[in-house]
Amino acid sequence: MKSDQDLLITRSCSKYGNDPGRVIDILWEIQKSLGCVSYEAMEKIAATINTSRVQIEGIVSFYSFFSETPKGKIIIRLCDDIVDRHAGVEQIAVVFSEELGIGIGQTSPDREFSLEYTPCIGMSDQAPAALVNDVVVTSLTPDSARETARRLKANPDTSKLVAAKGDGNNGHRLINTMVKNNIRLKGEVILADGIQAEAGLKKALSKTPLEVIQEVVESGLRGRGGAGFSTGEKWRLAQKALASKRFVICNADEGEPGTFKDRVLLTERADLIFEGMAIAAYAIGSDSGILYLRAEYAYLRPFLEAVLEERRKSGLLGSAICGKKDFSFDIRIQLGAGAYICGEESALISSCEGLRGEPKNRPPFPVEKGYLSKPTAVNNVETFCCAARIMDRGSSWFAGIGTKASHGTKLLSVSGDCAKPGVYEVPYGVEVAALLEMAGAEDTAIVQVGGASGDMIGRRSFNRKICFSDLATGGAITLFNSSRNVLAIVDYYLEFFAHESCGYCTPCRVGTVFLRERIQKVMHGFADKADLEYLQELGKTIMITSRCGLGSSAPKCVLHSIAQFPLVYSSHLKESLDGLQPGFNIQKALEESRRIAKRKSMIYDPVFGNEGE
Amino acid sequence: MSDVIIFKIDGVEVSAKPGQTIMNAADEAGIYIPRLCDVEGLEPQGSCRVCTVKVNGRTAAACTQPAAPGMVVENDTLEIRNCRRDIVRMLFHEGNHLCPCCEASGRCELQALGYRLGILQPDKYPYLQPVRPVDASHPDIMLDTNRCIRCGRCIRASRHLDHKNVFGYIGRGIYKQVGVNGKNLAQTDVHVDDHAVAPGICPVGCIIQKRRGFYDPVGQRKFDVNPIGTEIEKHLKDAGGKK
């Protein structure tokens, strides 16, 4: 048994060339076959790939999908996003608990099942949803959850859970999922029908790399992940940096709560993404690329691998692409392992290198020293799609869409309280109010633009526009009607940030925990005005001093909600009539002494004296 | 490019050599920028954020930010002082820092910075009160991670100076902590003479050498004699005549 395990480990390690840089792939194999990465397994891996056990433990304990203790053969991960909570995931959890006889966070004694909560799995448009190993189940109801649990008990083959396949490529034999695309609005850049395959790549290859970069600069394309850096400038910097090797990385670690548009692109526009990556590679002079795929989208991997293989066969990847003698480029897929922070580009690079997914110090920036210290262009899935289209249709076509300063279209993932959740491709400049109308949202009170790290706005601000100069966003638009509790939403986002903080820097690691503690105090009615000042000051410190975007955006939900919904906060504040701190409950504090002394307080009890007298 | 970089810290002109950080240049100029995770002889990490400064209006960690010509650095301003105080408080409240009974008292950099920044009493933040077991397995060294501030100095010292891997970060978020390369410290290849466990590497009382407790009398302890930062500021006084 012991030697079986050792054999498996040495085999997994040698499959990846005993390369410590591929340790995440190695750990995935071991986690899948052994159900955990035990202390002994870590020792064996460390010895095989020549690193230390504590470093392996550092990685295993960093990523949510790895576990040091044995997990069940079937792991059910219920999506615990705020939209799923509002859609009743708690009831679903109760059903699974009853059926499987285990609570959340537990594994059944026979090691058949584990049940847990996980942050947003990118299915907010069909919530509540869950991952059953790699299989996605969506739009759960208590009945369908019960049915799912019973089926799994009768037959552990998770692929049998897919009864009705989703639309489009979701029904492809290599995806085979019940996930629906929910494409509600097709814009002219990415989701339009009849996009000519590889037209962008072919036109790019007829130009010089510098001309390609110039075209992208002139189009005004800015990063679609949220930060909005000029794509052309990024490529220019990567191209200019002196190096023997350069990399192109596609960020498909779509982890922002409430976003799912990359899921749809990976399903329906895989070729366009890879085409865009090849264009970037040609422009900056790179011969290798990585698609970093979040673990929650592992169900898309076989399909994506097949698309890559098909491209190799058709001469669109590999050497002499499209007959261009000096241009070779290939792409590998790096599967993540459950860490939101890896959506941050330098953390994503750390993760590709087989490290804890912690952001790197900047400077140097990834365009100078990125993956393996080589110049690296990291772009969002949607950005690569745009780049391919720009090469085909030209920069002025692209610049003609959207607003003066924000060119092109934006894919929005709309979910929450509305009749038509799904993906909307809109030109930049669309008003929030127009979006609500399109989505069939009624009685909307709160719109969260950009997910947990984004902007929270109330009715007064529904005339604001989606564009870089107003509401810049990666695309998550989460809608809440007036029955929802603002504080519960803020509490959820803080819980999310505290859970997903990598812990590297003090303000984010500790500050997010402190923010949440105080928001809960407000929720429970124990806070006074001073606590709001505390929240604002603490939020400001965290924003100023955090090392990366996670920390600097975590307090936004607190600060925005205080500014946008002051009445909600003031209605929760406790008036302090007795002059005591609101958090202090004198009756509760006296209870124990009353019990021990067997008498009441002279001051605080109206009728005092010894008990029983 | 010229070999001397000239920039300003709080209006004072400072020079740096190419490749130096703001922190390096400030140290040489006798301007103290408070810090915890950075220590001489180890690669800077930029994690504690105590050395936060504003560079041309944007925040950066002085220990990792390279000096550049003409940059305008804000160090000792009200806003930055408040941020640093908040961060030091966060560290105090994250762990169990009971100075009167801690062996590191008087040479603890966290305590010394608390004094320097005017933090003299417990305050607004809640205490997280961790209850991690103390590792006293090793004959010469004791590890109390409840006092750890995640500065990673022991990790870097072990890796880069001792060429071992005794320590490493494990966990994530608030659960991030320093782990050891064994079931406990006794099972690792740590030696009492390693740089990683030498006095001055751990800035707090997390790594303690056994049988040496409380060896400096109060009044003669490291920071009793020279409060934190004064060694660097002494440069300024020494160079006072020239400036």
Side-chain angles (χ1 to χ4, degrees):
Chain A
M1 181 69 193
K2 176 87 182 151
S3 60
D4 279 0
Q5 179 179 319
D6 283 0
L7 193 69
L8 191 130
I9 291 172
T10 37
R11 205 179 295 147
S12 299
C13 291
S14 78
K15 183 172 163 189
Y16 294 99
N18 292 334
D19 179 2
R22 300 298 297 275
V23 70
I24 295 190
D25 303 278
I26 296 169
L27 291 173
W28 260 121
E29 293 217 344
I30 293 158
Q31 175 75 42
K32 287 228 156 145
S33 42
L34 301 177
C36 69
V37 186
S38 65
Y39 185 92
E40 288 71 26
M42 290 183 209
E43 274 186 328
K44 180 71 188 166
I45 300 165
T48 314
I49 63 173
N50 197 22
T51 177
S52 67
R53 189 209 58 86
V54 71
Q55 259 175 300
I56 303 290
E57 185 184 353
I59 295 158
V60 172
S61 59
F62 187 89
Y63 295 97
S64 299
F65 279 53
F66 295 146
S67 161
E68 290 164 62
T69 49
K71 286 280 167 76
K73 286 189 199 110
I74 294 173
I75 304 176
I76 297 165
R77 294 186 170 95
L78 301 171
C79 178
D80 187 31
D81 185 57
I82 187 74
V83 173
D84 294 73
R85 285 189 190 179
H86 288 161
V89 71
E90 252 172 88
Q91 285 167 281
I92 307 298
V94 169
V95 170
F96 274 111
S97 255
E98 281 171 7
E99 287 295 322
L100 304 175
I102 47 173
I104 294 285
Q106 292 181 340
T107 296
S108 59
D110 59 3
R111 285 198 47 205
E112 285 298 320
F113 294 100
S114 289
L115 183 62
E116 37 190 73
Y117 275 132
T118 194
C120 188
I121 60 170
M123 302 289 159
S124 301
D125 55 333
Q126 36 215 305
L131 289 170
V132 180
N133 288 347
D134 291 347
V135 174
V136 187
V137 286
T138 59
S139 307
L140 285 162
T141 61
D143 287 342
S144 71
R146 201 173 301 280
E147 169 77 17
T148 304
R150 287 183 182 167
R151 269 203 212 175
L152 286 169
K153 280 197 285 188
N155 181 358
D157 182 355
T158 51
S159 66
K160 293 279 186 294
L161 291 175
V162 181
K165 290 178 188 177
D167 54 333
N169 281 339
N170 289 302
H172 189 284
R173 87 193 147 77
L174 290 173
I175 299 183
N176 188 33
T177 179
M178 65 193 285
V179 174
K180 290 183 183 134
N181 284 328
N182 285 330
I183 297 172
R184 304 283 181 178
L185 183 68
K186 296 178 175 182
E188 57 181 311
V189 177
I190 296 176
L191 294 177
D193 294 315
I195 292 177
Q196 213 190 332
E198 318 307 332
L201 178 60
K202 282 175 186 149
K203 284 184 190 168
L205 294 182
S206 70
K207 299 177 179 199
T208 68
L210 287 179
E211 283 169 352
V212 172
I213 291 175
Q214 191 55 32
E215 182 92 39
V216 178
V217 169
E218 280 168 15
S219 75
L221 174 62
R222 294 169 68 175
R224 267 28 181 179
F229 192 81
S230 158
T231 306
E233 284 305 327
K234 193 181 253 188
W235 291 6
R236 196 197 296 277
L237 291 167
Q239 191 269 341
K240 270 206 305 207
L242 288 173
S244 54
K245 199 170 170 71
R246 295 181 184 79
F247 292 95
V248 172
I249 298 184
C250 176
N251 184 347
D253 190 45
E254 179 178 52
E256 192 65 53
T259 175
F260 44 82
K261 49 107 185 161
D262 290 346
R263 174 197 88 211
V264 174
L265 291 180
L266 291 160
T267 308
E268 299 300 335
R269 289 290 179 270
D271 272 301
L272 192 64
I273 298 166
F274 296 136
E275 186 187 340
M277 287 178 75
I279 292 167
Y282 176 69
I284 71 165
S286 159
D287 65 356
S288 7
I290 299 173
L291 175 87
Y292 187 93
L293 185 68
R294 71 186 304 224
E296 290 81 350
Y297 293 168
Y299 75 98
L300 292 170
R301 186 173 183 168
F303 169 73
L304 293 169
E305 296 279 14
V307 173
L308 287 175
E309 197 46 45
E310 195 52 45
R311 292 182 75 81
R312 283 180 200 114
K313 280 187 200 149
S314 333
L316 298 164
L317 275 182
S319 51
I321 290 174
C322 295
K324 189 101 178 165
K325 253 194 262 159
D326 299 331
F327 177 46
S328 43
F329 176 64
D330 211 332
I331 299 170
R332 78 167 168 96
I333 295 177
Q334 175 68 57
L335 193 63
Y340 165 75
I341 185 62
C342 291
E344 196 278 343
E345 66 172 354
S346 65
L348 183 142
I349 290 171
S350 298
S351 190
C352 287
E353 292 170 337
L355 303 170
R356 292 164 59 85
E358 290 168 341
K360 293 174 188 285
N361 285 319
R362 279 158 300 185
F365 289 89
V367 286
E368 308 164 273
K369 276 190 174 187
Y371 179 62
L372 305 178
S373 296
K374 302 291 181 200
T376 305
V378 184
N379 289 115
N380 182 266
V381 171
E382 189 183 342
T383 312
F384 282 120
C385 291
C386 290
R389 296 287 289 143
I390 289 165
M391 291 322 296
D392 179 23
R393 301 292 304 275
S395 56
S396 43
W397 164 77
F398 188 79
I401 306 166
T403 69
K404 247 185 172 175
S406 305
H407 299 169
T409 58
K410 182 78 196 87
L411 263 60
L412 301 175
S413 313
V414 179
S415 68
D417 298 319
C418 63
K420 289 178 272 182
V423 174
Y424 294 75
E425 184 183 4
V426 297
Y428 272 110
V430 70
E431 268 187 26
V432 171
L435 202 58
L436 296 179
E437 175 90 36
M438 277 190 261
E442 282 168 17
D443 187 28
T444 308
I446 309 163
V447 178
Q448 183 75 20
V449 181
S453 68
D455 300 277
M456 183 184 276
I457 60 173
R459 287 190 180 124
R460 279 178 292 159
S461 308
F462 287 177
N463 59 347
R464 290 182 64 183
K465 294 182 170 73
I466 307 288
C467 60
F468 288 104
S469 55
D470 190 359
L471 292 167
T473 169
I477 308 284
T478 318
L479 312 178
F480 303 99
N481 64 29
S482 61
S483 74
R484 308 301 183 188
N485 179 348
V486 177
L487 291 169
I489 296 168
V490 173
D491 178 60
Y492 165 72
Y493 287 142
L494 291 174
E495 180 188 355
F496 173 78
F497 282 121
H499 181 259
E500 295 297 340
S501 165
C502 75
Y504 193 101
C505 73
T506 313
C508 175
R509 180 182 72 238
V510 186
T512 49
V513 174
F514 287 179
L515 280 177
R516 182 164 190 235
E517 183 261 358
R518 204 51 53 106
I519 280 290
Q520 292 198 324
K521 188 178 172 191
V522 177
M523 284 171 81
H524 296 141
F526 287 137
D528 68 0
K529 265 190 179 164
D531 288 299
L532 295 195
E533 283 162 28
Y534 167 99
L535 281 166
Q536 284 165 306
E537 278 170 22
L538 175 60
K540 204 177 144 220
T541 297
I542 298 171
M543 287 176 106
I544 292 176
T545 57
S546 285
R547 186 164 166 266
C548 81
L550 193 154
S552 59
S553 53
K556 276 167 84 175
C557 58
V558 176
L559 302 182
H560 288 190
S561 60
I562 292 176
Q564 295 271 329
F565 308 101
L567 291 178
V568 175
Y569 277 86
S570 56
S571 72
H572 278 77
L573 297 186
K574 186 183 156 188
E575 287 286 340
S576 178
L577 296 173
D578 49 11
L580 295 168
Q581 280 199 3
F584 181 69
N585 183 340
I586 183 68
Q587 297 302 333
K588 211 175 159 193
L590 284 172
E591 243 161 56
E592 200 180 359
S593 23
R594 282 192 193 110
R595 192 175 49 78
I596 294 167
K598 291 191 177 146
R599 64 185 194 88
K600 291 179 177 172
S601 159
M602 281 202 325
I603 304 168
Y604 288 102
D605 290 318
V607 183
F608 63 89
N610 291 332
E611 251 173 44
E613 272 183 11
Chain B
M1 219 164 87
S2 91
D3 277 356
V4 182
I5 296 164
I6 307 286
F7 67 102
K8 278 186 177 172
I9 301 179
D10 293 334
V12 177
E13 208 164 81
V14 170
S15 63
K17 291 186 269 297
Q20 279 193 316
T21 61
I22 293 174
M23 181 86 92
N24 299 143
D27 282 357
E28 286 178 15
I31 297 170
Y32 176 65
I33 301 175
R35 78 218 51 188
L36 283 170
C37 69
D38 193 42
V39 68
E40 205 173 344
L42 293 178
E43 285 266 303
Q45 177 168 289
S47 65
C48 75
R49 311 313 280 180
V50 172
C51 73
T52 295
V53 291
K54 278 205 169 175
V55 180
N56 301 333
R58 296 186 63 157
T59 42
C63 71
T64 56
Q65 187 71 29
M71 54 166 53
V72 175
V73 178
E74 293 169 48
N75 172 40
D76 199 19
T77 64
L78 181 66
E79 186 188 22
I80 296 292
R81 274 200 302 274
N82 282 340
C83 284
R84 287 179 185 154
R85 215 172 278 151
D86 279 354
I87 291 171
V88 169
R89 280 174 179 142
M90 283 182 202
L91 291 170
F92 265 113
H93 289 248
E94 180 187 25
N96 299 337
H97 296 283
L98 307 160
C99 301
C101 63
C102 178
E103 202 279 317
S105 197
R107 62 178 158 82
C108 168
E109 294 177 30
L110 182 68
Q111 180 193 35
L113 260 190
Y115 281 128
R116 178 160 176 131
L117 298 173
I119 304 165
L120 302 174
Q121 58 187 23
D123 90 6
K124 52 186 184 178
Y125 295 144
Y127 286 101
L128 298 185
Q129 294 174 326
V131 284
R132 290 183 282 269
V134 169
D135 181 353
S137 60
H138 194 277
D140 302 315
I141 308 151
M142 201 183 83
L143 200 63
D144 182 355
T145 56
N146 298 302
R147 296 178 185 151
C148 176
I149 58 165
R150 323 300 191 271
C151 68
R153 279 155 56 160
C154 58
I155 299 173
R156 281 173 285 158
S158 180
R159 208 161 283 166
H160 302 133
L161 303 179
D162 301 327
H163 305 291
K164 296 183 181 179
N165 266 305
V166 174
F167 301 106
Y169 282 126
I170 55 172
R172 186 172 89 187
I174 198 70
Y175 302 107
K176 177 174 179 165
Q177 53 174 307
V178 168
V180 298
N181 195 28
K183 287 206 162 132
N184 55 37
L185 204 52
Q187 286 194 0
T188 68
D189 56 350
V190 73
H191 189 272
V192 70
D193 294 332
D194 283 356
H195 289 93
V197 295
I201 287 293
C202 180
V204 290
C206 172
I207 299 174
I208 295 282
Q209 296 206 355
K210 290 185 176 176
R211 298 180 300 280
R212 286 201 63 193
F214 302 96
Y215 50 94
D216 288 327
V218 175
Q220 293 170 30
R221 301 171 305 179
K222 186 176 176 187
F223 294 125
D224 294 340
V225 184
N226 289 310
I228 200 163
T230 50
E231 282 195 359
I232 286 165
E233 285 162 339
K234 222 173 68 187
H235 295 199
L236 186 64
K237 282 183 201 136
D238 295 346
K242 279 180 269 171
K243 292 234 162 179

